[in-house]
Amino acid sequence: MRRLALLLAVALAAAIPLAAPPAQASTPVVQATAPPMGWNSWNRFGCNIDENLIRATADAIAAKGLDTAGYRYVNIDDCWMAPTRDAQGRLQADPNRFPSGIAALAAYVHNKGLKLGIYSSAGTATCQGLPASLDHEAVDAQSWASWGVDLLKYDNCNNQGRPAIERYRAMGDALKATGRPILYSLCNWGLDSPWVFGPNVGGTMWRTTGDISDSWGSMTGILDQQHGLEPFARKGGFNDPDMLEVGNGGMTTTEYTAHFSLWALLNAPLLLGNDLRSVNDTNLAIVKNADVVAVDQDWGGSQGRRVRDDGDTEVWAKPMSDGSAAVVLFNRGAATATVTTSAAEVGLGGSSGYSLKNLWTGATSTSTGTVSGSVASHGVVMYRVTRSGTTLAAPAAGTYQVGDMSWLASTNGWGPAERNRSNKEQAAGDGTTLTVNGTTYAKGVGVHANSSVHLWLGRACPLFTAQVGIDDEVADAKAGVRFQVYGDGKLLAYTDVKTASQGPTTLTVPTAGYATLELFAGDGHGGIDYDHGDWGAATVTCTSAGTGTYASDLAWSSSSNGWGAAERDQSNGETATGDGVVQVVGAVSHVKGIGAHAGSDVALPVGGCQRFTAVVGIDGEATSAAASAVFSVVADGVTLWTSPVLRAGAAAAVDVGVAGRSTLHLVLTDAGDGNAYDHGDWAGARLSC
Ligand code: GLA
């Protein structure tokens, strides 16, 4: 027996995973596929709330058809609780404002087909000085669950300086432990990068800024802070630029229309903040515009973002899941202005014609590529743009230097994006040899943030590669560029913010089946000054046109994994399904892919497909010297490709033909030293079929 126990102990020790136990709450407490919609008491009523207001608001939501428009959550903000806990240490409702109690209110709201939200703070008191939940997480979560609460907004006041991730994780774990689905809304005011830790503590949404107020300056100030956060939103995890002010009286109808349009474009949670008992028809019509709400609710693969910034006028765009694009032309200036972009700039391009629907007037029109509108001061024109013509021919098979290809369109922060030389800021051709920390590139693109280069792939090019970084022509600490690669407007992969004098990062991005590719270089910090970015040796490899499918979107024929489950579109968190984080391979974050742990075999049906493309490596979450693995691609018993032993930080590209094969096995083995720490990603894994 002792021998057996010893053997077992040795066997277990050999398979010990990461030293720290994986966090419990890394999946959202509630899986929401679209940004939450509803109402919250704070913006209009502050502490002036009671159960009659909440009931009357629920009545109004139902009576005015806001429920069928999608608004479901009725959220009580701060000031619902009594000034002291009860004898058992439980929060209790304020007996004057909520004499019937929260459970009765939840029942009332549920009876209308709506959901009830509540509020607390990850501190010793709420922002208004009432009892809050730090160190009372379990008992408070239990109270809310027993009352039938459906959402928690969790604020950050009076936090005692304790680390945010721990405070927010404690509540995420407590909510999960109740067994009731309670959507978890983090109100961390953009501090400590909630967009990074939010998904790991069970959050469905996280505040990106301080509080909104009912003014043009506040609304546009918050909008400005959204630029650059788009890589961190995902289906089921939404950036929250704070609640809506539509109808509160501090902005004009034109401004409220802009506010609502832009929030919808950002895939923001849509939480009304006005008095719904007395909302007028104009404001009701804004928030009930079904075409605009549909833009908000559609996770087309990327949060919307600013694609053009011409000072007073801007263009914001997002992909829709049907292949169209939503576009907001925005005019901050004092006079009416014509705002113009192109189909290519909004992620389309390559078609002889487009149809446009104006989402505020309902008017439809056609275009050969220009997307333009006369936009009132402080207003928007919002379109949905769809390809309707014949598309360009695909590039012939071969590998192309992006610096030598023709581009659909390009925008650049200073001067033009330069072919095969650095940006140097002014006239075309004023740059020198592309150089990143001493490494030179004869070919590539030299840009200045914010910059986009749009290419036509014609669904025929399965692989994009480049070496990216800040060009040596700038050394200033303000230089900071994040490189982001988009296919058909959807974010595929992104780097950390690259700064001056750092070595280049290799970008390897599977792109099978995408019609267009966008190379986006965004300001990473400190404004766009000094942001000279190089896409060194940027190439696309084209084969033949086909449909692209992610391995992580297929039904797998079988799968096994060394620890926990093989994960879809996240790394292997080792325990429960869905407990991983964004896959990072070779210092590049990949939105799609399979996250495995050595001792893994994922089988994919590949009948009818031509190629399999991925970038593989040890996930950035495993930094130990013991992390090492070998990746093999095996088809119908034949090994098509095997990686060298890959250790932490290293990555390899795989691009193999699979024509005539029926089942592909993605096999991950330890490299002979046991499987401890062997978190291996098949990042971006994609089939061309
Ligand atoms: C903070 C939040 C607001 C609101 C108030 C309530 O300021 O950011 O949204 O909840 O607290 O006190």
Side-chain angles (χ1 to χ4, degrees):
M1 272 314 276
R2 282 185 60 171
R3 203 180 138 77
L4 189 63
L6 190 70
L7 273 175
L8 264 173
V10 168
L12 282 171
I16 278 173
L18 281 177
Q24 224 202 347
S26 47
T27 49
V29 181
V30 168
Q31 298 279 355
T33 53
M37 293 174 66
W39 174 89
N40 174 294
S41 55
W42 183 255
N43 281 355
R44 172 68 181 78
F45 297 97
C47 279
N48 191 17
I49 55 172
D50 60 25
E51 62 187 37
N52 294 329
L53 170 71
I54 304 303
R55 284 206 200 99
T57 298
D59 293 348
I61 288 176
K64 295 174 188 186
L66 285 161
D67 53 351
T68 45
Y71 298 91
R72 288 288 147 109
Y73 287 94
V74 183
N75 297 341
I76 319 172
D77 207 279
D78 207 344
C79 303
W80 63 268
M81 59 283 273
T84 53
R85 291 178 175 266
D86 72 7
Q88 281 79 47
R90 295 174 302 196
L91 288 174
Q92 40 189 349
D94 183 306
N96 301 314
R97 299 176 189 281
F98 295 90
S100 315
I102 303 299
L105 204 48
Y108 186 90
V109 167
H110 291 159
N111 199 32
K112 302 251 163 207
L114 303 173
K115 293 173 179 291
L116 187 77
I118 211 158
Y119 165 97
S120 187
S121 181
T124 49
T126 73
C127 300
Q128 304 304 315
L130 289 157
S133 301
L134 187 64
D135 299 329
H136 299 269
E137 292 85 1
V139 65
D140 291 354
Q142 202 51 56
S143 295
W144 300 321
S146 72
W147 296 339
V149 164
D150 306 295
L151 175 148
L152 172 67
K153 172 178 172 180
Y154 204 39
D155 218 328
N156 194 34
C157 282
N158 302 301
N159 59 44
Q160 309 303 310
R162 285 163 51 179
I165 186 163
E166 288 170 19
R167 290 179 293 115
Y168 282 88
R169 175 173 287 145
M171 183 55 82
D173 287 345
L175 292 174
K176 274 194 180 167
T178 68
R180 182 175 174 85
I182 298 179
L183 192 144
Y184 189 25
S185 161
L186 277 52
C187 182
N188 210 39
W189 317 320
L191 302 178
D192 307 304
S193 304
W195 43 88
V196 175
F197 78 77
N200 301 340
V201 301
T204 287
M205 53 193 268
W206 38 83
R207 276 274 292 280
T208 54
T209 68
D211 289 8
I212 195 169
S213 61
D214 185 21
S215 72
W216 167 255
S218 170
M219 187 274 283
T220 52
I222 283 180
L223 178 71
D224 289 337
Q225 296 172 66
Q226 306 313 307
H227 171 70
L229 296 182
E230 60 274 356
F232 305 105
R234 65 200 64 188
K235 187 173 193 169
F238 304 101
N239 288 323
D240 175 11
D242 206 0
M243 303 172 290
L244 295 162
E245 293 283 7
V246 177
N248 280 334
M251 288 185 251
T252 65
T253 297
T254 302
E255 291 170 343
Y256 282 140
T257 305
H259 174 27
F260 193 73
S261 303
L262 288 158
W263 262 234
L265 194 103
L266 291 167
N267 290 112
L270 296 180
L271 295 171
L272 306 171
N274 57 328
D275 187 345
L276 295 179
R277 299 168 305 182
S278 58
V279 57
N280 67 26
D281 289 347
T282 306
N283 291 319
L284 202 55
I286 293 175
V287 303
K288 284 178 72 174
N289 182 315
D291 285 337
V292 177
V293 169
V295 169
D296 178 80
Q297 295 289 290
D298 183 42
W299 184 254
S302 253
Q303 177 191 301
R305 65 199 159 102
R306 195 173 66 204
V307 298
R308 251 202 111 79
D309 179 5
D310 295 316
D312 273 351
T313 65
E314 295 173 0
V315 178
W316 293 69
K318 79 172 280 278
M320 298 292 288
S321 37
D322 69 351
S324 64
V327 182
V328 172
L329 309 177
F330 183 37
N331 176 12
R332 296 169 183 250
T336 299
T338 299
V339 183
T340 303
T341 182
S342 66
E345 282 183 13
V346 303
L348 299 174
S351 172
S352 61
Y354 301 86
S355 66
L356 280 64
K357 180 175 182 188
N358 182 317
L359 302 189
W360 287 108
T361 66
T364 54
S365 55
T366 58
S367 164
T368 54
T370 300
V371 176
S372 183
S374 171
V375 188
S377 164
H378 290 195
V380 296
V381 168
M382 187 167 186
Y383 290 121
R384 189 143 164 193
V385 183
T386 310
R387 281 195 190 95
S388 59
T390 51
T391 46
L392 288 174
T399 295
Y400 298 89
Q401 292 290 339
V402 175
D404 295 337
M405 290 173 82
S406 70
W407 300 341
L408 288 173
S410 69
T411 56
N412 203 51
W414 278 95
E418 300 279 3
R419 295 171 178 278
N420 306 324
R421 60 179 63 224
S422 66
N423 174 255
K424 214 60 182 251
E425 299 196 345
Q426 305 299 333
D430 64 349
T432 53
T433 303
L434 293 159
T435 312
V436 178
N437 197 32
T439 304
T440 59
Y441 303 96
K443 298 284 183 181
V445 187
V447 302
H448 193 299
N450 294 303
S451 168
S452 291
V453 172
H454 299 269
L455 306 173
W456 179 248
L457 302 185
R459 305 189 170 86
C461 310
L463 188 62
F464 167 76
T465 61
Q467 309 276 321
V468 300
I470 300 289
D471 192 277
D472 284 2
E473 70 195 11
V474 289
D476 197 280
K478 282 173 87 179
V481 172
R482 190 190 298 281
F483 294 82
Q484 300 170 200
V485 178
Y486 290 84
D488 291 343
K490 300 171 179 48
L491 181 63
L492 309 182
Y494 54 99
T495 67
D496 286 344
V497 174
K498 299 285 294 182
T499 53
S501 312
Q502 284 183 341
T505 294
T506 300
L507 266 172
T508 306
V509 186
T511 51
Y514 286 113
T516 64
L517 189 72
E518 176 184 350
L519 311 183
F520 175 79
D523 161 37
H525 60 231
I528 68 167
D529 292 356
Y530 302 100
D531 289 350
H532 295 217
D534 289 348
W535 299 89
T539 64
V540 294
T541 299
C542 305
T543 52
S544 58
T547 313
T549 309
Y550 283 107
S552 54
D553 290 339
L554 289 172
W556 299 338
S557 322
S558 65
S559 81
S560 59
N561 201 49
W563 277 92
E567 298 283 4
R568 298 172 186 269
D569 306 333
Q570 55 184 261
S571 64
N572 171 253
E574 300 198 347
T575 311
T577 302
D579 65 353
V581 292
V582 176
Q583 298 191 3
V584 181
V585 170
V588 176
S589 297
H590 291 264
V591 174
K592 302 291 290 184
I594 296 174
H597 192 293
S600 172
D601 181 346
V602 175
L604 314 169
V606 296
C609 297
Q610 310 305 315
R611 300 198 75 75
F612 171 77
T613 313
V615 52
V616 301
I618 299 292
D619 189 277
E621 70 195 2
T623 52
S624 163
S628 58
V630 174
F631 297 74
S632 314
V633 179
V634 181
D636 305 334
V638 180
T639 300
L640 302 181
W641 183 83
T642 303
S643 75
V645 173
L646 293 176
R647 299 186 184 279
V654 44
D655 181 28
V656 289
V658 298
R661 310 291 184 181
S662 61
T663 305
L664 203 63
H665 287 262
L666 308 182
V667 179
L668 185 66
T669 51
D670 73 58
D673 59 352
N675 75 356
Y677 303 98
D678 293 350
H679 293 215
D681 293 336
W682 300 87
R686 195 156 162 90
L687 288 156
S688 175
C689 306

